[in-house]
Every structure is written in C-alpha cells, then in structure tokens.
Amino acid sequence: PDLEALKKEAAIRAVALVGSGMRVGLGTGSTAKYAIEEIGRRLAAGELSGVTGVATSEASDALARQVGIPVEALDPRPLDIAIDGADEIDPALNLIKGLGGALLREKLTEVQARQLVIIADHTKLVTRIGEKAPLPIEIALFGFLSTIERLRAVLPAGRLRQNGAQPYVTDNGNLIFDAQIPEGHDIHALERQLKGTLGVIDTGLFLGMAQVAFVAAPDGVQELRP
Ligand code: DER
C-alpha cells in the first residue's frame, strides 16, 4: 500500500480509542487530517456521539468544522485523548514535531491530554532524535534577528523558515527557526537550554509526552509504547 494508505490506517487505529462524550485534541498535518476525517465519519455514522474537539491549528479547526466535529477553545480542563502526527519518533517515544508549523498550539493542547496518541508512517521512526528532521523552534517576531544569533550559538546549522520570499508566520504571529541537532546532544538538556534562550517561545521537542504511537509500515500497523 502507498504511504497515504498507511497513514490513514494508523489514523483509524488511533480513532478507535475515541469514545462517545470525549474531549479530543485534534492534531495538525497530513496524518492527523485522516484522524479528524475519521472522527467526523464516525460521528456522522452514529458510531460516536457527544465528541468535542480542541484544534491545534487554524487549519485543523476549519477541517474539524467541515467534517462536523464541534470544536471548543482550549481551557484548563483535561482532554481525554489527543491524536497527532510527528516528524520523528524515537524508541522512547520522544518526538520532533512542528514541520507543519503548529508546534506551540500542539504542545499547549497535548500536555493536557490524559493520553497522547501519535500516528505516523514508518519513515518517521529514528534511533536518534535529530537523525532525519530539523528541529522547529518558534521564536518571537520582535527582535528575531537577535534571537537567531542566540540560537546559532547553540545550534549553528539553522535557518529561518520561509514562506516563499517572506518569513513563515505561525498561527500565533511568531516565526520558526529550523535547526539541525548534531549527534551528541542530550535532548533533555537541549530542550532546557533552548527554552531558556531569550526570544524562544517553544520547540518541537515533545519529550516523554506520548503514551502510544500507531506506526504504519507495509507489513501492517505497529503499536509502539515507550
Ligand atoms: O507539524 C506537526 O507537528 C505535524 O504534526 C507533523 O509533525 C507531522 O505532519 P505529517 O503527519 O504531515 O507528516
């Protein structure tokens, strides 16, 4: 089966964990899209009822409404479950996220979920975080050139994400610096160092947040736990 079919298979496995009456964190990206569509399908078919969603991006908010999922703003109440994609997944289920630009709302939402369920295809599996994907870092617009200089002192191989000729702007009005994580970095120490860097709002390191990942490979969907 092709990659899209595999991603959809993983999404359907995750949505099987959604029960009626649940408050669900709705992820962002091409894999999470299948999960949002599947929740909508199950609601329309009467297989689920009373589900409300909290979207992690404007795009996912619009898609949720389009498929008939009632959406609410994030408030301090815990979410029963959140379903989202990832750019990298290591054996401890540490993640890189944010290539879709939604890392801040994703982390703010998913930290409140009783269960964070990751869905992906096998190309996202890594042995070391930083092996395949750059780390997205959300930075304030104001003084961003100074912030980039501070970041380059920590991660020299990085660049401001562009949207054509303009800098990419997130749903929150911030910018993103994408940086390679060279071998030898302790990712927990790196997260602390980046979060302590003036002008940095958050990073795409989601460490120890996910409980389970459904990873689709040509021979089937694997259920990975840390
Ligand atoms: O930007 C994000 O965090 C997305 O969830 C990303 O990590 C996965 O996007 P994909 O499912 O389109 O690969």
Side-chain angles (χ1 to χ4, degrees):
D2 72 328
L3 217 48
E4 288 310 306
L6 292 173
K7 290 158 69 170
K8 187 171 180 180
E9 215 178 307
I12 290 169
R13 281 286 294 276
V15 172
L17 300 176
V18 177
S20 289
M22 282 194 177
R23 288 163 41 76
V24 184
L26 303 174
T28 295
S30 63
T31 313
K33 170 177 165 291
Y34 291 121
I36 292 173
E37 290 172 344
E38 176 66 4
I39 293 169
R41 185 197 65 74
R42 296 191 66 199
L43 283 169
E47 294 170 21
L48 279 175
S49 64
V51 169
T52 55
V54 174
T56 57
S57 61
E58 294 301 327
S60 293
D61 184 282
L63 178 60
R65 291 171 194 276
Q66 191 187 321
V67 302
I69 304 172
V71 290
E72 291 179 345
L74 181 66
D75 63 35
R77 290 176 294 163
L79 299 172
D80 298 292
I81 188 170
I83 302 173
D84 202 352
D87 299 298
E88 285 190 352
I89 307 168
D90 82 359
L93 261 54
N94 294 313
L95 314 172
I96 284 185
K97 286 176 59 47
L99 257 60
L103 66 106
L104 180 60
R105 295 191 184 187
E106 289 173 338
K107 199 182 277 190
L108 285 166
T109 304
E110 289 157 18
V111 76
Q112 294 188 203
R114 290 199 176 89
Q115 187 179 36
L116 174 55
V117 180
I118 298 301
I119 52 178
D121 60 77
H122 60 92
T123 65
K124 306 301 183 65
L125 294 177
V126 297
T127 52
R128 176 186 71 84
I129 289 292
E131 192 178 297
K132 292 181 181 172
L135 173 63
I137 301 164
E138 186 150 345
I139 64 176
L141 172 60
F142 183 83
F144 76 93
L145 290 173
S146 309
T147 303
I148 286 174
E149 290 311 304
R150 293 185 197 104
L151 282 170
R152 286 221 166 95
V154 182
L155 296 172
R159 57 165 188 74
L160 191 67
R161 187 178 297 186
Q162 295 291 116
N163 179 9
Q166 302 299 321
Y168 174 88
V169 180
T170 68
D171 285 351
N172 316 301
N174 303 313
L175 306 182
I176 290 184
F177 185 72
D178 291 305
Q180 300 299 327
I181 303 175
E183 295 207 34
H185 267 276
D186 170 329
I187 53 175
H188 290 85
L190 178 62
E191 168 77 345
R192 285 192 300 273
Q193 187 174 16
L194 292 173
K195 290 294 287 279
T197 301
L198 183 60
V200 169
I201 295 165
D202 219 312
T203 83
L205 288 171
F206 285 51
L207 307 180
M209 288 180 61
Q211 282 73 43
V212 60
F214 291 108
V215 179
D219 58 350
V221 177
Q222 302 162 1
E223 180 177 332
L224 303 182
R225 292 178 184 276

